PDB file of all heavy atoms in Angstrom:
ATOM      1  N   ARG A1392     122.111-156.891   5.316  1.00 94.00           N
ATOM      2  CA  ARG A1392     122.922-156.186   4.321  1.00 94.00           C
ATOM      3  C   ARG A1392     122.148-155.063   3.664  1.00 94.00           C
ATOM      4  O   ARG A1392     120.956-155.195   3.441  1.00 94.00           O
ATOM      5  CB  ARG A1392     123.279-157.151   3.188  1.00 94.00           C
ATOM      6  CG  ARG A1392     124.406-158.061   3.519  1.00 94.00           C
ATOM      7  CD  ARG A1392     124.504-159.156   2.484  1.00 94.00           C
ATOM      8  NE  ARG A1392     125.464-160.128   2.959  1.00 94.00           N
ATOM      9  CZ  ARG A1392     126.761-160.036   2.690  1.00 94.00           C
ATOM     10  NH1 ARG A1392     127.254-159.078   1.961  1.00 94.00           N
ATOM     11  NH2 ARG A1392     127.595-160.947   3.195  1.00 94.00           N
ATOM     12  N   LEU A1393     122.860-154.034   3.318  1.00 97.00           N
ATOM     13  CA  LEU A1393     122.358-153.057   2.344  1.00 97.00           C
ATOM     14  C   LEU A1393     123.287-153.159   1.154  1.00 97.00           C
ATOM     15  O   LEU A1393     124.487-153.394   1.310  1.00 97.00           O
ATOM     16  CB  LEU A1393     122.408-151.627   2.910  1.00 97.00           C
ATOM     17  CG  LEU A1393     121.428-151.318   4.035  1.00 97.00           C
ATOM     18  CD1 LEU A1393     121.642-149.876   4.551  1.00 97.00           C
ATOM     19  CD2 LEU A1393     119.971-151.490   3.592  1.00 97.00           C
ATOM     20  N   ASP A1394     122.725-152.943  -0.049  1.00 98.00           N
ATOM     21  CA  ASP A1394     123.586-152.966  -1.241  1.00 98.00           C
ATOM     22  C   ASP A1394     124.690-151.929  -1.099  1.00 98.00           C
ATOM     23  O   ASP A1394     124.513-150.941  -0.363  1.00 98.00           O
ATOM     24  CB  ASP A1394     122.780-152.632  -2.499  1.00 98.00           C
ATOM     25  CG  ASP A1394     121.718-153.667  -2.793  1.00 98.00           C
ATOM     26  OD1 ASP A1394     121.841-154.812  -2.278  1.00 98.00           O
ATOM     27  OD2 ASP A1394     120.758-153.346  -3.512  1.00 98.00           O
ATOM     28  N   LYS A1395     125.757-152.121  -1.855  1.00 97.00           N
ATOM     29  CA  LYS A1395     126.893-151.194  -1.731  1.00 97.00           C
ATOM     30  C   LYS A1395     126.461-149.738  -1.937  1.00 97.00           C
ATOM     31  O   LYS A1395     126.854-148.842  -1.216  1.00 97.00           O
ATOM     32  CB  LYS A1395     127.954-151.589  -2.746  1.00 97.00           C
ATOM     33  CG  LYS A1395     129.198-150.801  -2.694  1.00 97.00           C
ATOM     34  CD  LYS A1395     130.338-151.536  -3.382  1.00 97.00           C
ATOM     35  CE  LYS A1395     131.409-150.588  -3.881  1.00 97.00           C
ATOM     36  NZ  LYS A1395     131.132-150.018  -5.190  1.00 97.00           N
ATOM     37  N   ASN A1396     125.564-149.503  -2.934  1.00 97.00           N
ATOM     38  CA  ASN A1396     125.192-148.112  -3.206  1.00 97.00           C
ATOM     39  C   ASN A1396     123.967-147.650  -2.436  1.00 97.00           C
ATOM     40  O   ASN A1396     123.471-146.535  -2.619  1.00 97.00           O
ATOM     41  CB  ASN A1396     124.988-147.879  -4.711  1.00 97.00           C
ATOM     42  CG  ASN A1396     123.877-148.761  -5.281  1.00 97.00           C
ATOM     43  OD1 ASN A1396     123.276-149.543  -4.546  1.00 97.00           O
ATOM     44  ND2 ASN A1396     123.594-148.636  -6.533  1.00 97.00           N
ATOM     45  N   THR A1397     123.442-148.477  -1.554  1.00 98.00           N
ATOM     46  CA  THR A1397     122.308-148.074  -0.701  1.00 98.00           C
ATOM     47  C   THR A1397     122.853-147.348   0.535  1.00 98.00           C
ATOM     48  O   THR A1397     123.873-147.719   1.084  1.00 98.00           O
ATOM     49  CB  THR A1397     121.476-149.275  -0.278  1.00 98.00           C
ATOM     50  OG1 THR A1397     120.972-149.930  -1.418  1.00 98.00           O
ATOM     51  CG2 THR A1397     120.301-148.872   0.599  1.00 98.00           C
ATOM     52  N   TYR A1424     112.177-147.872   3.376  1.00 98.00           N
ATOM     53  CA  TYR A1424     113.149-147.283   2.435  1.00 98.00           C
ATOM     54  C   TYR A1424     112.513-146.081   1.733  1.00 98.00           C
ATOM     55  O   TYR A1424     111.308-146.087   1.471  1.00 98.00           O
ATOM     56  CB  TYR A1424     113.562-148.282   1.355  1.00 98.00           C
ATOM     57  CG  TYR A1424     114.174-149.532   1.891  1.00 98.00           C
ATOM     58  CD1 TYR A1424     113.372-150.588   2.346  1.00 98.00           C
ATOM     59  CD2 TYR A1424     115.553-149.683   1.967  1.00 98.00           C
ATOM     60  CE1 TYR A1424     113.933-151.739   2.872  1.00 98.00           C
ATOM     61  CE2 TYR A1424     116.126-150.853   2.463  1.00 98.00           C
ATOM     62  CZ  TYR A1424     115.300-151.858   2.929  1.00 98.00           C
ATOM     63  OH  TYR A1424     115.861-153.017   3.431  1.00 98.00           O
ATOM     64  N   LEU A1473     108.981-153.010   3.646  1.00 96.00           N
ATOM     65  CA  LEU A1473     109.072-154.452   3.424  1.00 96.00           C
ATOM     66  C   LEU A1473     109.168-155.191   4.766  1.00 96.00           C
ATOM     67  O   LEU A1473     109.746-154.677   5.701  1.00 96.00           O
ATOM     68  CB  LEU A1473     110.351-154.815   2.670  1.00 96.00           C
ATOM     69  CG  LEU A1473     110.603-154.236   1.299  1.00 96.00           C
ATOM     70  CD1 LEU A1473     111.953-154.734   0.780  1.00 96.00           C
ATOM     71  CD2 LEU A1473     109.497-154.602   0.344  1.00 96.00           C
ATOM     72  N   LYS A1477     114.872-159.758   0.813  1.00 93.00           N
ATOM     73  CA  LYS A1477     115.474-160.546  -0.272  1.00 93.00           C
ATOM     74  C   LYS A1477     116.463-159.683  -1.034  1.00 93.00           C
ATOM     75  O   LYS A1477     116.407-158.467  -1.006  1.00 93.00           O
ATOM     76  CB  LYS A1477     114.365-161.062  -1.188  1.00 93.00           C
ATOM     77  CG  LYS A1477     113.418-161.980  -0.413  1.00 93.00           C
ATOM     78  CD  LYS A1477     112.584-162.858  -1.310  1.00 93.00           C
ATOM     79  CE  LYS A1477     112.011-163.977  -0.485  1.00 93.00           C
ATOM     80  NZ  LYS A1477     110.560-163.988  -0.430  1.00 93.00           N
ATOM     81  N   HIS A1478     117.354-160.368  -1.740  1.00 94.00           N
ATOM     82  CA  HIS A1478     118.443-159.718  -2.464  1.00 94.00           C
ATOM     83  C   HIS A1478     117.892-158.633  -3.402  1.00 94.00           C
ATOM     84  O   HIS A1478     117.036-158.895  -4.230  1.00 94.00           O
ATOM     85  CB  HIS A1478     119.168-160.817  -3.270  1.00 94.00           C
ATOM     86  CG  HIS A1478     120.451-160.387  -3.867  1.00 94.00           C
ATOM     87  ND1 HIS A1478     121.444-159.790  -3.139  1.00 94.00           N
ATOM     88  CD2 HIS A1478     120.911-160.465  -5.155  1.00 94.00           C
ATOM     89  CE1 HIS A1478     122.458-159.537  -3.930  1.00 94.00           C
ATOM     90  NE2 HIS A1478     122.162-159.918  -5.146  1.00 94.00           N
ATOM     91  N   HIS A1479     118.387-157.406  -3.305  1.00 97.00           N
ATOM     92  CA  HIS A1479     117.958-156.269  -4.145  1.00 97.00           C
ATOM     93  C   HIS A1479     116.452-156.151  -4.211  1.00 97.00           C
ATOM     94  O   HIS A1479     115.888-155.800  -5.260  1.00 97.00           O
ATOM     95  CB  HIS A1479     118.470-156.450  -5.594  1.00 97.00           C
ATOM     96  CG  HIS A1479     119.960-156.534  -5.732  1.00 97.00           C
ATOM     97  ND1 HIS A1479     120.833-155.821  -4.978  1.00 97.00           N
ATOM     98  CD2 HIS A1479     120.696-157.270  -6.581  1.00 97.00           C
ATOM     99  CE1 HIS A1479     122.073-156.101  -5.343  1.00 97.00           C
ATOM    100  NE2 HIS A1479     122.024-156.996  -6.301  1.00 97.00           N
ATOM    101  N   GLN A1480     115.774-156.412  -3.113  1.00 97.00           N
ATOM    102  CA  GLN A1480     114.322-156.559  -3.184  1.00 97.00           C
ATOM    103  C   GLN A1480     113.590-155.276  -3.630  1.00 97.00           C
ATOM    104  O   GLN A1480     112.683-155.336  -4.471  1.00 97.00           O
ATOM    105  CB  GLN A1480     113.743-157.037  -1.836  1.00 97.00           C
ATOM    106  CG  GLN A1480     112.271-157.392  -1.959  1.00 97.00           C
ATOM    107  CD  GLN A1480     111.764-158.180  -0.794  1.00 97.00           C
ATOM    108  OE1 GLN A1480     112.553-158.575   0.086  1.00 97.00           O
ATOM    109  NE2 GLN A1480     110.456-158.412  -0.742  1.00 97.00           N
ATOM    110  N   VAL A1481     113.978-154.114  -3.057  1.00 98.00           N
ATOM    111  CA  VAL A1481     113.265-152.904  -3.461  1.00 98.00           C
ATOM    112  C   VAL A1481     113.509-152.665  -4.952  1.00 98.00           C
ATOM    113  O   VAL A1481     112.573-152.404  -5.710  1.00 98.00           O
ATOM    114  CB  VAL A1481     113.750-151.696  -2.617  1.00 98.00           C
ATOM    115  CG1 VAL A1481     113.134-150.408  -3.165  1.00 98.00           C
ATOM    116  CG2 VAL A1481     113.372-151.884  -1.151  1.00 98.00           C
ATOM    117  N   LYS A1482     114.767-152.763  -5.361  1.00 98.00           N
ATOM    118  CA  LYS A1482     115.100-152.482  -6.752  1.00 98.00           C
ATOM    119  C   LYS A1482     114.338-153.423  -7.699  1.00 98.00           C
ATOM    120  O   LYS A1482     113.811-152.994  -8.726  1.00 98.00           O
ATOM    121  CB  LYS A1482     116.606-152.621  -6.995  1.00 98.00           C
ATOM    122  CG  LYS A1482     117.416-151.554  -6.284  1.00 98.00           C
ATOM    123  CD  LYS A1482     118.899-151.823  -6.375  1.00 98.00           C
ATOM    124  CE  LYS A1482     119.656-150.824  -5.516  1.00 98.00           C
ATOM    125  NZ  LYS A1482     121.038-151.255  -5.234  1.00 98.00           N
ATOM    126  N   ARG A1483     114.280-154.693  -7.320  1.00 98.00           N
ATOM    127  CA  ARG A1483     113.617-155.653  -8.218  1.00 98.00           C
ATOM    128  C   ARG A1483     112.109-155.496  -8.218  1.00 98.00           C
ATOM    129  O   ARG A1483     111.461-155.631  -9.261  1.00 98.00           O
ATOM    130  CB  ARG A1483     114.007-157.083  -7.818  1.00 98.00           C
ATOM    131  CG  ARG A1483     115.490-157.369  -8.115  1.00 98.00           C
ATOM    132  CD  ARG A1483     115.815-158.827  -8.089  1.00 98.00           C
ATOM    133  NE  ARG A1483     115.679-159.389  -6.761  1.00 98.00           N
ATOM    134  CZ  ARG A1483     115.451-160.675  -6.540  1.00 98.00           C
ATOM    135  NH1 ARG A1483     115.303-161.541  -7.524  1.00 98.00           N
ATOM    136  NH2 ARG A1483     115.380-161.126  -5.307  1.00 98.00           N
ATOM    137  N   LEU A1495     118.686-145.087  -3.203  1.00 98.00           N
ATOM    138  CA  LEU A1495     117.927-145.831  -2.188  1.00 98.00           C
ATOM    139  C   LEU A1495     118.510-145.575  -0.822  1.00 98.00           C
ATOM    140  O   LEU A1495     119.753-145.631  -0.632  1.00 98.00           O
ATOM    141  CB  LEU A1495     117.990-147.334  -2.515  1.00 98.00           C
ATOM    142  CG  LEU A1495     117.119-148.268  -1.650  1.00 98.00           C
ATOM    143  CD1 LEU A1495     115.639-147.913  -1.766  1.00 98.00           C
ATOM    144  CD2 LEU A1495     117.353-149.730  -2.084  1.00 98.00           C
ATOM    145  N   ARG A1497     117.681-146.448   3.446  1.00 98.00           N
ATOM    146  CA  ARG A1497     116.816-147.057   4.465  1.00 98.00           C
ATOM    147  C   ARG A1497     116.678-146.067   5.594  1.00 98.00           C
ATOM    148  O   ARG A1497     117.649-145.524   6.112  1.00 98.00           O
ATOM    149  CB  ARG A1497     117.401-148.367   4.957  1.00 98.00           C
ATOM    150  CG  ARG A1497     116.459-149.023   5.964  1.00 98.00           C
ATOM    151  CD  ARG A1497     116.657-150.508   6.030  1.00 98.00           C
ATOM    152  NE  ARG A1497     117.927-150.834   6.673  1.00 98.00           N
ATOM    153  CZ  ARG A1497     118.411-152.081   6.747  1.00 98.00           C
ATOM    154  NH1 ARG A1497     117.758-153.074   6.194  1.00 98.00           N
ATOM    155  NH2 ARG A1497     119.547-152.320   7.358  1.00 98.00           N
TER     156      ARG A1497
HETATM  157  N1  URA B2950     116.450-153.476  -1.376  1.00 80.56           N
HETATM  158  C1  URA B2950     117.398-153.240  -2.304  1.00 80.56           C
HETATM  159  O1  URA B2950     117.150-153.340  -3.501  1.00 80.56           O
HETATM  160  N2  URA B2950     118.620-152.887  -1.895  1.00 80.56           N
HETATM  161  C2  URA B2950     118.959-152.729  -0.592  1.00 80.56           C
HETATM  162  O2  URA B2950     120.083-152.394  -0.267  1.00 80.56           O
HETATM  163  C3  URA B2950     117.965-152.977   0.375  1.00 80.56           C
HETATM  164  C4  URA B2950     116.713-153.362  -0.056  1.00 80.56           C
END
Side-chain angles (χ1 to χ4, degrees):
R1392 281 168 188 272
L1393 290 177
D1394 295 340
K1395 183 161 156 274
N1396 61 358
T1397 300
Y1424 301 83
L1473 301 179
K1477 299 198 162 118
H1478 192 52
H1479 300 324
Q1480 189 165 353
V1481 173
K1482 292 173 187 163
R1483 291 195 294 156
L1495 186 60
R1497 183 155 71 187

